[in-house]
Amino acid sequence: DVKVTQSSRYLVKRTGEKVFLECVQDMDHENMFWYRQDPGLGLRLIYFSYDVKMKEKGDIPEGYSVSREKKERFSLILESASTNQTSMYLCGEGLRGQPQHFGDGTRLSIL
Amino acid sequence: AQSVSQHNHHVILSEAASLELGCNYSYGGTVNLFWYVQYPGQHLQLLLKYFSGDPLVKGIKGFEAEFIKSKFSFNLRKPSVQWSDTAEYFCAALMNRDDKIIFGKGTRLHILP
């Protein structure tokens, strides 16, 4: 079974803090993704990576950056957290052209 | 622009009712289609997928979906729903074997016992 592990289920941070969300996959797949999920808006792609040290912007990259130093790990970074980044963050992984598998999500609150 | 539209944001049904959730995509080329389900407090999981061949695909838990190319649609169906089907359902598409899956905004399904 594919396993996608997100480092935290719940996280509370303060405005202006630098926030790191970690994601690890155990399938040695090329593609990894970060989404945010908000009620009524579905899943919106923030960034994705198709190889180590490679990254592509998704639909809503502003205020975020990513890091992929190893194939199994994909990190999402909020450079200076703001209240409008309070959301559920989902990490996904998969092979090109194939459906993705997802982690349990991190519910992030920015106070 | 490529997009996926789900017709209903919130659906309420009684147990044993039949279900159909609408999904349309906007893209004229090759497309792979998916339905995902997210049960309360759980991660997103794949319900079924269409790549090619028989346009009627069967998934887990008695769900099926029909790909109608002329209508750009991929509607999800279940003949008789159960209370445990209460969840949020997402239609998604991979267009032209791209890397990125495009998701619809989701449909919250609430089944009354």
Side-chain angles (χ1 to χ4, degrees):
Chain A
D1 256 7
V2 175
K3 190 157 181 64
V4 181
T5 304
Q6 293 185 230
S7 52
S8 306
R9 288 297 299 271
Y10 301 93
L11 206 53
V12 180
K13 297 290 182 181
R14 295 204 174 275
T15 303
E17 280 193 71
K18 190 169 186 176
V19 181
F20 293 86
L21 302 183
E22 306 286 342
C23 176
V24 177
Q25 53 116 344
D26 67 353
M27 290 299 290
D28 201 35
H29 287 163
E30 302 98 339
N31 293 348
M32 296 189 76
F33 306 81
W34 275 106
Y35 298 86
R36 62 177 284 177
Q37 182 180 8
D38 299 288
L41 297 179
L43 275 72
R44 293 181 291 167
L45 183 64
I46 304 171
Y47 267 98
F48 72 101
S49 168
Y50 51 88
D51 203 348
V52 175
K53 295 192 186 296
M54 306 301 285
K55 61 184 179 184
E56 291 276 345
K57 292 180 180 179
D59 300 317
I60 51 163
E62 296 79 18
Y64 303 94
S65 63
V66 290
S67 171
R68 194 168 182 196
E69 297 296 319
K70 294 184 178 181
K71 194 173 185 179
E72 69 270 19
R73 187 180 298 269
F74 192 36
S75 303
L76 179 69
I77 304 155
L78 285 66
E79 297 291 343
S80 177
S82 64
T83 55
N84 63 11
Q85 292 178 309
T86 291
S87 186
M88 171 70 89
Y89 289 87
L90 296 181
C91 175
E93 65 84 42
L95 292 166
R96 187 174 193 189
Q98 296 294 321
Q100 296 169 21
H101 301 94
F102 289 88
D104 287 336
T106 296
R107 189 167 292 281
L108 175 65
S109 295
I110 307 297
L111 305 179
Chain B
Q2 300 163 359
S3 65
V4 174
S5 300
Q6 292 183 238
H7 309 312
N8 310 100
H9 296 302
H10 200 180
V11 173
I12 302 173
L13 295 172
S14 297
E15 272 194 312
S18 65
L19 169 73
E20 182 160 3
L21 301 182
C23 174
N24 287 92
Y25 62 95
S26 63
Y27 183 68
T30 302
V31 63
N32 298 334
L33 296 158
F34 315 98
W35 276 96
Y36 282 84
V37 61
Q38 188 175 36
Y39 297 103
Q42 295 189 25
H43 64 272
L44 265 174
Q45 53 187 290
L46 186 67
L47 205 51
L48 48 76
K49 61 185 179 183
Y50 171 78
F51 278 66
S52 63
D54 188 345
L56 184 63
V57 292
K58 295 194 183 297
I60 60 173
K61 306 189 181 189
F63 286 91
E64 64 179 30
E66 185 175 13
F67 170 57
I68 302 179
K69 190 174 181 179
S70 61
K71 294 185 178 180
F72 298 90
S73 71
F74 190 56
N75 291 355
L76 181 70
R77 301 195 293 245
K78 186 171 184 178
S80 177
V81 294
Q82 302 171 303
W83 177 78
S84 57
D85 293 324
T86 293
E88 190 160 16
Y89 293 81
F90 293 92
C91 182
L94 256 176
M95 303 186 193
N96 203 30
R97 294 186 58 79
D98 200 352
D99 285 297
K100 300 181 293 183
I101 291 181
I102 298 174
F103 284 85
K105 293 185 177 181
T107 298
R108 285 188 182 274
L109 176 64
H110 188 69
I111 306 300
L112 302 173

Short mmCIF file of all heavy atoms in Angstrom, two decimals, chain B residues 9-39:
data_model
loop_
_atom_site.label_atom_id
_atom_site.label_comp_id
_atom_site.label_asym_id
_atom_site.label_seq_id
_atom_site.Cartn_x
_atom_site.Cartn_y
_atom_site.Cartn_z
N HIS B 9 -23.11 21.35 -5.14
CA HIS B 9 -22.16 21.54 -4.04
C HIS B 9 -22.55 20.69 -2.83
O HIS B 9 -21.68 20.25 -2.08
CB HIS B 9 -22.14 23.02 -3.64
CG HIS B 9 -21.63 23.90 -4.73
ND1 HIS B 9 -20.38 23.74 -5.30
CD2 HIS B 9 -22.19 24.93 -5.39
CE1 HIS B 9 -20.20 24.64 -6.25
NE2 HIS B 9 -21.30 25.38 -6.33
N HIS B 10 -23.86 20.50 -2.67
CA HIS B 10 -24.34 19.78 -1.49
C HIS B 10 -25.56 18.97 -1.90
O HIS B 10 -26.50 19.52 -2.48
CB HIS B 10 -24.69 20.79 -0.39
CG HIS B 10 -24.75 20.19 0.96
ND1 HIS B 10 -25.04 20.93 2.10
CD2 HIS B 10 -24.56 18.92 1.41
CE1 HIS B 10 -25.02 20.14 3.15
NE2 HIS B 10 -24.73 18.93 2.77
N VAL B 11 -25.52 17.67 -1.61
CA VAL B 11 -26.63 16.78 -1.94
C VAL B 11 -27.05 16.04 -0.67
O VAL B 11 -26.19 15.52 0.05
CB VAL B 11 -26.22 15.77 -3.03
CG1 VAL B 11 -27.31 14.74 -3.25
CG2 VAL B 11 -25.89 16.49 -4.33
N ILE B 12 -28.34 16.00 -0.45
CA ILE B 12 -28.88 15.27 0.71
C ILE B 12 -29.84 14.22 0.19
O ILE B 12 -30.76 14.53 -0.56
CB ILE B 12 -29.61 16.23 1.68
CG1 ILE B 12 -28.65 17.32 2.17
CG2 ILE B 12 -30.17 15.44 2.87
CD1 ILE B 12 -29.33 18.39 3.00
N LEU B 13 -29.61 12.97 0.59
CA LEU B 13 -30.46 11.85 0.17
C LEU B 13 -30.80 10.99 1.36
O LEU B 13 -30.06 10.97 2.36
CB LEU B 13 -29.75 10.99 -0.88
CG LEU B 13 -29.44 11.63 -2.24
CD1 LEU B 13 -28.56 10.69 -3.06
CD2 LEU B 13 -30.72 11.94 -2.98
N SER B 14 -31.85 10.22 1.21
CA SER B 14 -32.18 9.21 2.21
C SER B 14 -31.52 7.90 1.82
O SER B 14 -31.22 7.66 0.64
CB SER B 14 -33.69 9.01 2.31
OG SER B 14 -34.31 10.20 2.74
N GLU B 15 -31.29 7.05 2.81
CA GLU B 15 -30.73 5.72 2.52
C GLU B 15 -31.60 4.99 1.50
O GLU B 15 -32.83 5.12 1.50
CB GLU B 15 -30.65 4.90 3.81
CG GLU B 15 -29.36 5.11 4.56
CD GLU B 15 -29.14 4.06 5.65
OE1 GLU B 15 -30.09 3.82 6.41
OE2 GLU B 15 -28.03 3.50 5.71
N ALA B 16 -30.93 4.24 0.64
CA ALA B 16 -31.55 3.44 -0.42
C ALA B 16 -31.92 4.25 -1.66
O ALA B 16 -32.33 3.68 -2.67
CB ALA B 16 -32.77 2.66 0.06
N ALA B 17 -31.78 5.57 -1.59
CA ALA B 17 -32.04 6.38 -2.79
C ALA B 17 -30.93 6.16 -3.80
O ALA B 17 -29.82 5.74 -3.46
CB ALA B 17 -32.13 7.86 -2.41
N SER B 18 -31.23 6.48 -5.06
CA SER B 18 -30.20 6.40 -6.09
C SER B 18 -29.45 7.72 -6.17
O SER B 18 -30.00 8.79 -5.90
CB SER B 18 -30.82 6.05 -7.44
OG SER B 18 -31.66 7.10 -7.86
N LEU B 19 -28.19 7.60 -6.55
CA LEU B 19 -27.31 8.77 -6.56
C LEU B 19 -26.76 8.99 -7.96
O LEU B 19 -26.35 8.05 -8.64
CB LEU B 19 -26.15 8.55 -5.60
CG LEU B 19 -24.99 9.55 -5.67
CD1 LEU B 19 -25.42 10.89 -5.07
CD2 LEU B 19 -23.77 9.01 -4.93
N GLU B 20 -26.73 10.26 -8.37
CA GLU B 20 -25.96 10.64 -9.54
C GLU B 20 -25.35 12.01 -9.29
O GLU B 20 -26.07 12.97 -9.03
CB GLU B 20 -26.81 10.67 -10.82
CG GLU B 20 -25.96 11.03 -12.05
CD GLU B 20 -26.59 10.62 -13.36
OE1 GLU B 20 -27.72 10.09 -13.35
OE2 GLU B 20 -25.93 10.80 -14.41
N LEU B 21 -24.03 12.08 -9.34
CA LEU B 21 -23.32 13.34 -9.19
C LEU B 21 -22.72 13.72 -10.53
O LEU B 21 -22.02 12.93 -11.15
CB LEU B 21 -22.20 13.21 -8.14
CG LEU B 21 -22.63 12.80 -6.73
CD1 LEU B 21 -21.41 12.75 -5.80
CD2 LEU B 21 -23.67 13.75 -6.19
N GLY B 22 -22.99 14.95 -10.93
CA GLY B 22 -22.56 15.39 -12.25
C GLY B 22 -21.14 15.94 -12.27
O GLY B 22 -20.69 16.54 -11.29
N CYS B 23 -20.45 15.71 -13.37
CA CYS B 23 -19.10 16.22 -13.56
C CYS B 23 -18.90 16.49 -15.05
O CYS B 23 -19.16 15.62 -15.88
CB CYS B 23 -18.06 15.21 -13.08
SG CYS B 23 -16.35 15.69 -13.45
N ASN B 24 -18.42 17.67 -15.37
CA ASN B 24 -18.06 18.01 -16.74
C ASN B 24 -16.65 18.58 -16.77
O ASN B 24 -16.21 19.22 -15.83
CB ASN B 24 -19.03 19.04 -17.32
CG ASN B 24 -20.36 18.45 -17.63
OD1 ASN B 24 -21.26 18.47 -16.81
ND2 ASN B 24 -20.50 17.91 -18.83
N TYR B 25 -15.96 18.33 -17.86
CA TYR B 25 -14.62 18.87 -18.01
C TYR B 25 -14.56 19.67 -19.31
O TYR B 25 -15.34 19.43 -20.24
CB TYR B 25 -13.57 17.75 -18.01
CG TYR B 25 -13.73 16.79 -19.17
CD1 TYR B 25 -13.01 16.97 -20.34
CD2 TYR B 25 -14.60 15.71 -19.08
CE1 TYR B 25 -13.17 16.10 -21.41
CE2 TYR B 25 -14.77 14.84 -20.13
CZ TYR B 25 -14.05 15.04 -21.29
OH TYR B 25 -14.22 14.19 -22.36
N SER B 26 -13.63 20.57 -19.37
CA SER B 26 -13.48 21.37 -20.58
C SER B 26 -12.09 21.14 -21.15
O SER B 26 -11.11 21.69 -20.66
CB SER B 26 -13.68 22.86 -20.27
OG SER B 26 -12.68 23.32 -19.39
N TYR B 27 -12.04 20.27 -22.14
CA TYR B 27 -10.78 19.98 -22.84
C TYR B 27 -11.12 19.09 -24.01
O TYR B 27 -11.84 18.11 -23.86
CB TYR B 27 -9.78 19.29 -21.91
CG TYR B 27 -8.44 19.05 -22.56
CD1 TYR B 27 -7.60 20.11 -22.90
CD2 TYR B 27 -8.00 17.76 -22.83
CE1 TYR B 27 -6.39 19.90 -23.51
CE2 TYR B 27 -6.79 17.54 -23.43
CZ TYR B 27 -5.98 18.61 -23.76
OH TYR B 27 -4.76 18.40 -24.37
N GLY B 28 -10.59 19.38 -25.18
CA GLY B 28 -10.95 18.62 -26.37
C GLY B 28 -10.05 17.45 -26.68
O GLY B 28 -10.34 16.67 -27.58
N GLY B 29 -8.96 17.30 -25.95
CA GLY B 29 -7.99 16.24 -26.26
C GLY B 29 -8.16 15.01 -25.39
O GLY B 29 -9.20 14.78 -24.79
N THR B 30 -7.10 14.26 -25.29
CA THR B 30 -7.09 13.03 -24.49
C THR B 30 -7.21 13.36 -23.01
O THR B 30 -6.53 14.25 -22.51
CB THR B 30 -5.78 12.26 -24.72
OG1 THR B 30 -5.65 11.98 -26.11
CG2 THR B 30 -5.78 10.96 -23.93
N VAL B 31 -8.07 12.65 -22.34
CA VAL B 31 -8.29 12.96 -20.93
C VAL B 31 -8.45 11.68 -20.12
O VAL B 31 -9.05 10.72 -20.58
CB VAL B 31 -9.53 13.87 -20.76
CG1 VAL B 31 -10.80 13.18 -21.23
CG2 VAL B 31 -9.68 14.36 -19.35
N ASN B 32 -7.85 11.66 -18.96
CA ASN B 32 -8.05 10.61 -17.98
C ASN B 32 -8.89 11.19 -16.85
O ASN B 32 -8.63 12.30 -16.40
CB ASN B 32 -6.72 10.09 -17.43
CG ASN B 32 -5.86 9.47 -18.51
OD1 ASN B 32 -6.37 8.98 -19.51
ND2 ASN B 32 -4.55 9.49 -18.31
N LEU B 33 -9.87 10.44 -16.38
CA LEU B 33 -10.83 10.97 -15.42
C LEU B 33 -10.88 10.14 -14.15
O LEU B 33 -10.71 8.92 -14.19
CB LEU B 33 -12.21 11.03 -16.07
CG LEU B 33 -12.30 11.99 -17.26
CD1 LEU B 33 -13.45 11.64 -18.16
CD2 LEU B 33 -12.42 13.44 -16.76
N PHE B 34 -11.15 10.82 -13.05
CA PHE B 34 -11.15 10.16 -11.74
C PHE B 34 -12.28 10.70 -10.88
O PHE B 34 -12.70 11.84 -11.03
CB PHE B 34 -9.83 10.43 -10.99
CG PHE B 34 -8.60 10.27 -11.84
CD1 PHE B 34 -7.99 11.38 -12.40
CD2 PHE B 34 -8.05 9.03 -12.06
CE1 PHE B 34 -6.86 11.25 -13.18
CE2 PHE B 34 -6.91 8.88 -12.85
CZ PHE B 34 -6.32 10.01 -13.40
N TRP B 35 -12.71 9.86 -9.96
CA TRP B 35 -13.51 10.31 -8.84
C TRP B 35 -12.77 9.93 -7.56
O TRP B 35 -12.35 8.77 -7.41
CB TRP B 35 -14.90 9.68 -8.83
CG TRP B 35 -15.89 10.38 -9.70
CD1 TRP B 35 -16.24 10.08 -10.98
CD2 TRP B 35 -16.67 11.52 -9.34
NE1 TRP B 35 -17.18 10.96 -11.45
CE2 TRP B 35 -17.47 11.86 -10.46
CE3 TRP B 35 -16.79 12.30 -8.19
CZ2 TRP B 35 -18.37 12.92 -10.46
CZ3 TRP B 35 -17.68 13.36 -8.17
CH2 TRP B 35 -18.46 13.67 -9.30
N TYR B 36 -12.64 10.92 -6.68
CA TYR B 36 -12.05 10.69 -5.37
C TYR B 36 -13.14 10.88 -4.31
O TYR B 36 -14.09 11.66 -4.50
CB TYR B 36 -10.93 11.70 -5.09
CG TYR B 36 -9.62 11.43 -5.77
CD1 TYR B 36 -9.39 11.85 -7.07
CD2 TYR B 36 -8.60 10.76 -5.10
CE1 TYR B 36 -8.16 11.62 -7.70
CE2 TYR B 36 -7.37 10.53 -5.71
CZ TYR B 36 -7.17 10.96 -7.00
OH TYR B 36 -5.95 10.72 -7.61
N VAL B 37 -12.95 10.24 -3.17
CA VAL B 37 -13.87 10.41 -2.05
C VAL B 37 -13.08 10.74 -0.80
O VAL B 37 -11.96 10.26 -0.61
CB VAL B 37 -14.73 9.15 -1.83
CG1 VAL B 37 -13.87 7.92 -1.52
CG2 VAL B 37 -15.76 9.37 -0.74
N GLN B 38 -13.64 11.62 0.01
CA GLN B 38 -13.02 11.96 1.29
C GLN B 38 -14.06 11.79 2.39
O GLN B 38 -14.98 12.60 2.52
CB GLN B 38 -12.50 13.40 1.26
CG GLN B 38 -11.67 13.78 2.48
CD GLN B 38 -11.07 15.17 2.34
OE1 GLN B 38 -11.68 16.08 1.78
NE2 GLN B 38 -9.86 15.36 2.86
N TYR B 39 -13.93 10.69 3.15
CA TYR B 39 -14.82 10.46 4.29
C TYR B 39 -14.41 11.39 5.43
O TYR B 39 -13.25 11.81 5.51
CB TYR B 39 -14.76 9.01 4.72
CG TYR B 39 -15.25 8.07 3.64
CD1 TYR B 39 -14.35 7.33 2.88
CD2 TYR B 39 -16.61 7.95 3.35
CE1 TYR B 39 -14.79 6.50 1.86
CE2 TYR B 39 -17.05 7.12 2.34
CZ TYR B 39 -16.14 6.40 1.60
OH TYR B 39 -16.58 5.59 0.59
#
